[in-house]
Amino acid sequence: MVDKATGSGGWRGWRAATRAALYGVDGTGGFYRRPEGPAGHFRTSVHASPLFAGAVARLLCRVDEALGRPSSLDFVDMAAGRGELVTAVLAALPADVAARTRAYAVEIADRPVGLARRIEWLSEPPRRLTGLLFANEWLDNVPVEVAEVDSAGVPRLVLVRDSGVERLGERVSGAEAEWLARWWPTADEEGLRAEIGLPRDTAWASAVSCVEAGLAVAVDYAHSADARPPFGTLTGFREGRETAPVPDGSCDITSHVALDACAEAGAIAARSAARAPADARLLTQRAALRALGVTGGRPPLSLASTDPSAYVRALAGAGEAAELLAPGGLGDFGWLFQPVGIPHPLDQPPQTG
Ligand SMILES: C[S@@+](CC[C@H](N)C(=O)[O-])C[C@H]1O[C@@H](n2cnc3c(N)ncnc32)[C@H](O)[C@@H]1O
């Protein structure tokens, strides 16, 4: 029987299946349009602690300084969920910077009720922005094809039905085969898998090309060419639990990001925007947040007797920082920094006063 939607008995590649499951068809349906939003199903760094938004606000201040404190400074929360990060960043900025900041949330889902009016809600990032574009856990949700090596050692596209049942399809060819050969070459061992990150490179390059001057940052679960996971990382999340990836709209579908490949695509975009060499840099979240002042140290015990409530607050902050910095957890996320026409902001000492 031939399926009316796909014309192929319901079999399609993971990219098309994920796109429909997460973002719906013809502007309706899809996991990410559901009213509860991402926070109803998993915890990102944004939900884990306001310390994360505080660090992003400090990064925006460094970009502001590198740009010479322009009269209008852009902050773009790319793939904004329900606008939690942009809201918290605005609250954490010093008043003089906040007054000059134009805040944007870029999302496929609808604008949430009650979001501050000063935040513009867009479906695409603004062109020619001056400031910081920050994408937390966006690229892992950009749908990709999955390849699997068959019994003859040939990588083939994996096809899937809405139920999650898979079979192998055509051999990987064209630009997708080139991407695999360059970024994720698979040995000829049957069953090895790889996620073909080409659409993420393209999406990231397009986001970076919107930055006329400033910085683009992508933060995600990541791997690089020296340590790709041999069976890929495709997985699902539903109501706080990891689950099998089933592309029926009932769960998130995500896979870790080849951020090194995105860095190269982004550097080409940054170079053509700034007409200057681009200094892409990849750090762990642990290193990036520490450089932005999130330390996770416990408060001195003496504070408990001099100011007990300050001690309790500081202790809670230390716990939240530990979660953001944790090895084996959020601390291992990758931060891809892509400056456009400015020096790398973490190389600049923070200004005081
Ligand atoms: C995992 S959530 C992250 C939300 C938020 N950044 C956070 O860290 O809590 C991914 C979000 O990306 C959004 N998204 C995916 N592709 C997008 C695109 N091309 N443009 C705008 N938003 C997108 C989804 O709708 C979803 O809300």
Side-chain angles (χ1 to χ4, degrees), residues 50-318:
L51 293 173
F52 187 79
V56 176
R58 288 192 287 284
L59 181 60
L60 179 59
C61 289
R62 290 193 185 204
V63 171
D64 182 42
E65 284 150 18
L67 290 167
R69 300 178 188 248
S71 57
S72 177
L73 177 71
D74 298 318
F75 176 69
V76 179
D77 181 359
M78 179 69 209
R82 296 299 174 268
E84 297 97 329
L85 179 64
V86 61
T87 301
V89 165
L90 283 174
L93 284 173
D96 65 307
V97 183
R100 288 183 288 110
T101 298
R102 291 189 63 170
Y104 302 91
V106 180
E107 239 308 320
I108 287 174
D110 292 339
R111 182 185 183 99
V113 176
L115 189 77
R117 289 175 59 151
R118 68 172 292 189
I119 300 169
E120 285 189 51
W121 193 263
L122 304 173
S123 58
E124 300 276 339
R127 308 295 308 176
R128 306 169 63 81
L129 67 98
T130 298
L132 173 61
L133 178 144
F134 196 92
N136 191 60
E137 294 204 34
W138 168 39
L139 294 172
D140 68 301
N141 285 133
V142 172
V144 290
E145 296 293 1
V146 177
E148 183 173 317
V149 177
D150 70 9
S151 56
V154 175
R156 295 189 173 274
L157 290 179
V158 177
L159 305 182
V160 63
R161 278 183 157 154
D162 287 359
S163 61
V165 175
E166 294 180 335
R167 74 170 170 82
L168 297 191
E170 295 293 301
R171 68 187 298 153
V172 180
S173 62
E176 289 173 337
E178 282 166 28
W179 190 93
L180 271 191
R182 167 80 207 279
W183 291 108
W184 196 330
T186 45
D188 58 4
E189 199 181 309
E190 184 176 8
L192 293 180
R193 284 168 72 121
E195 287 112 23
I196 307 176
L198 185 58
R200 294 171 175 177
D201 297 3
T202 309
W204 182 240
S206 164
V208 171
S209 71
C210 294
V211 181
E212 190 167 57
L215 178 69
V217 178
V219 179
D220 244 303
Y221 300 95
H223 44 61
S224 49
D226 55 349
R228 302 281 185 225
F231 300 103
T233 58
L234 189 76
T235 192
F237 278 94
R238 185 189 298 122
E239 291 167 8
R241 293 231 171 85
E242 196 164 345
T243 153
V246 177
D248 62 358
S250 69
C251 63
D252 185 28
I253 296 172
T254 166
S255 54
H256 297 196
V257 181
L259 270 185
D260 49 351
C262 296
E264 189 172 290
I268 293 167
R271 204 176 303 137
S272 61
R275 293 183 189 80
D279 168 30
R281 209 175 286 182
L282 259 168
L283 296 180
T284 61
Q285 168 149 307
R286 196 160 37 256
L289 286 183
R290 282 198 177 131
L292 291 166
V294 179
T295 56
R298 286 173 70 92
L301 210 50
S302 55
L303 189 64
S305 47
T306 55
D307 188 344
S309 52
Y311 178 76
V312 170
R313 272 198 312 278
L315 206 56

